[in-house]
Amino acid sequence: MDELRLVQQLDAEIPPASPEQLAPARNRLMAMATAASPALSEPPPVRRENTSPAASRESSPVTARNRRSTWRNWRLALGSVMAAGVAAAVAAVLVLAPDRLGGDVPAARADATQVLRNAAAAALRLPDVAPRPDQFIYRRAQDGPATSESWLSVDGTRDGLSRETSAGKRTDAILPGCRNGRAAVMKGNEVVAGQTEKCTPQPGYLADLPTDVAGMRSYLAEHGSGEPGSVNAAGKDVLDLADSYLRPQSRAALYEAAATVPGLRAVEGVTDGAGRTGVGIAWPSTAGAGEIVLVFHPETYAFLGMSETSAVLAVAVVDRVGQTG
């Protein structure tokens, strides 16, 4: 059983006990602690006249009964205190739990800043895999009933693939790599034989992303897609990066940088594009375009997707097109 969840439930259902309610149980506990047994007050006299094993065995039943009686009295006393003051104990656990869990707090009570910081801490616990230039970034996502998959060349020089599956129909499209400044020409989803065009490699993995908060904030400001100061546009930029493959330190820096954006709020009980429930971080609209809501898992703080729109189902580094993990 998840003890922290049980504590949260008790805290929500039981009102805190007052000092007056706790006083009788506390008094009974103290009285039992001092009078329940000689073992709890002063040590019994030492009998030196007979220390043989047989004598010890003869006295053991009495000793065992005394111990059982003492433990029974203590259990009654503790049970009385717990019954009267369980809410106060619950509150104390909730206050101590965040420090003991590395700063985490229950998502239902956390604000946007705390959720993002928890996501950053969780990101640092992920395996750190540095993609090779000859590998591919595999991503699978869901948009309502449609599923999309992609294999993007890590350095942008190799042919990748995009795949869409909807209503049982699958459509594949080649993503031409850019080699020596030239890429194959596409007509629809088909390669035009013998024709190339100028290109610039589009890496599927951003190897130069900052790994610290200050650097990530500067990166987001420099590469922002909207007007300077637009919180909504910043949310889209964070979404684009969170959707892709990031190494743990860069992902943690992204969430920590996002946590410094003013005006964000946590939204409970939101769902991603696959219907998974999580805690959302809402980026307010500055031009009437609607909020951007990023969804995180309520316990692991893994990034799930965008509220009711998209869901990230898998992201991995693979060796070839078609491989999924």
Side-chain angles (χ1 to χ4, degrees):
M1 179 180 293
D2 189 333
E3 291 83 357
L4 186 56
R5 283 186 176 277
L6 178 60
V7 166
Q8 294 171 11
Q9 182 179 351
L10 288 173
D11 184 41
E13 295 177 354
I14 305 176
S18 66
E20 291 76 13
Q21 290 173 312
L22 292 174
R26 186 184 299 111
N27 292 338
R28 288 194 297 274
L29 175 62
M30 295 306 297
M32 288 183 182
T34 56
S37 169
L40 297 177
S41 53
E42 58 184 26
V46 178
R47 300 181 61 184
R48 301 182 181 276
E49 65 273 18
N50 189 350
T51 59
S52 67
S56 298
R57 285 194 298 270
E58 290 172 1
S59 63
S60 61
V62 177
T63 302
R65 282 197 299 271
N66 288 342
R67 288 174 180 168
R68 285 196 296 269
S69 176
T70 299
W71 174 238
R72 199 160 43 242
N73 290 338
W74 268 98
R75 277 177 26 187
L76 290 173
L78 290 172
S80 178
V81 171
M82 290 177 67
V86 64
V90 166
V93 171
L94 287 178
V95 170
L96 293 175
D99 290 335
R100 294 180 179 178
L101 297 176
D104 290 354
V105 298
R109 299 190 175 190
D111 60 12
T113 298
Q114 186 64 57
V115 171
L116 288 166
R117 286 178 176 169
N118 289 346
L124 291 175
R125 295 192 286 269
L126 297 174
D128 186 8
V129 178
R132 299 192 314 267
D134 63 330
Q135 291 183 304
F136 295 84
I137 302 300
Y138 169 70
R139 179 179 179 273
R140 184 170 77 253
Q142 185 171 334
D143 244 334
T147 301
S148 63
E149 296 175 279
S150 62
W151 289 264
L152 303 180
S153 171
V154 166
D155 67 359
T157 66
R158 292 159 178 81
D159 293 348
L161 183 70
S162 174
R163 174 174 293 166
E164 300 288 334
T165 305
S166 181
K169 182 180 179 181
R170 193 181 83 179
T171 304
D172 288 356
I174 293 176
L175 306 173
C178 181
R179 294 177 289 275
N180 301 318
R182 307 294 297 183
V185 174
M186 298 292 298
K187 185 176 182 179
N189 294 330
E190 302 293 330
V191 175
V192 179
Q195 294 188 28
T196 63
E197 59 187 354
K198 289 183 178 180
C199 64
T200 301
Q202 301 294 320
Y205 165 66
L206 301 176
D208 60 347
L209 278 180
T211 57
D212 63 283
V213 180
M216 186 61 74
R217 291 186 64 181
S218 297
Y219 179 90
L220 291 172
E222 182 180 350
H223 297 83
S225 60
E227 294 294 326
S230 171
V231 176
N232 193 260
K236 294 177 182 177
D237 296 336
V238 171
L239 173 62
D240 287 342
L241 288 176
D243 257 345
S244 59
Y245 178 78
L246 302 178
R247 293 179 68 178
Q249 287 189 328
S250 291
R251 184 170 292 274
L254 175 67
Y255 296 151
E256 288 283 4
T260 67
V261 176
L264 305 185
R265 59 187 178 87
V267 187
E268 299 174 31
V270 297
T271 57
D272 65 6
R276 298 176 298 184
T277 302
V279 55
I281 302 299
W283 302 68
S285 171
T286 54
E291 292 183 323
I292 299 293
V293 182
L294 277 61
V295 185
F296 293 84
H297 192 283
E299 296 176 355
T300 68
Y301 298 99
F303 176 69
L304 298 181
M306 186 175 173
S307 175
E308 300 181 358
T309 304
S310 63
V312 180
L313 304 180
V315 178
V317 179
V318 297
D319 294 327
R320 64 184 183 278
V321 170
Q323 185 179 356
T324 59

